[in-house]
Amino acid sequence: KSFVIGLTYVDASSQAQALKTLQLKVRDANGNEQLKTLVPTIDPYQQQTDLIALRQTFRWDGFTSIAVDVVRQQCTSILVRTLILRVV
């Protein structure tokens, strides 16, 4: 079963690293691959410049991967938050 990701945090050791684009690769059961680029932007009301929230919704399952270019001697963490879906 897949999850729906509604919020992704990028925590980096520098602003330059935090603004690197994320490549989301999704593969379906037939083997078809789709690439989606997630572009981080800094909210003007946000105090931190190295912690960025991406408010883009996408599905996450066992065939999904995220890739990010890492600047030399920099560190990046990616935290995802799932949306809770309830069927009534």
Side-chain angles (χ1 to χ4, degrees):
K1 249 185 169 181
S2 61
F3 298 96
V4 176
I5 306 298
L7 187 60
T8 306
Y9 288 103
V10 177
D11 185 10
S13 55
S14 72
Q15 182 179 359
Q17 179 62 45
L19 291 174
K20 291 284 187 181
T21 58
L22 303 172
Q23 294 293 325
L24 180 70
K25 183 165 65 169
V26 180
R27 188 170 44 131
D28 62 11
N30 296 326
N32 301 324
E33 289 186 356
Q34 294 179 353
L35 293 175
K36 182 178 181 180
T37 302
L38 304 176
V39 181
T41 56
I42 296 176
D43 186 358
Y45 299 107
Q46 182 176 341
Q47 298 297 323
Q48 303 105 335
T49 58
D50 56 350
L51 178 65
I52 296 176
L54 294 169
R55 289 177 175 82
Q56 296 181 7
T57 304
F58 57 91
R59 292 198 173 271
W60 185 277
D61 60 9
F63 299 109
T64 305
S65 63
I66 290 182
V68 63
D69 291 332
V70 178
V71 178
R72 187 174 226 183
Q73 297 183 358
Q74 299 289 321
C75 180
T76 302
S77 299
I78 299 172
L79 306 153
V80 293
R81 182 174 178 189
T82 59
L83 294 174
I84 299 172
L85 300 177
R86 295 182 184 181
V87 179
V88 180

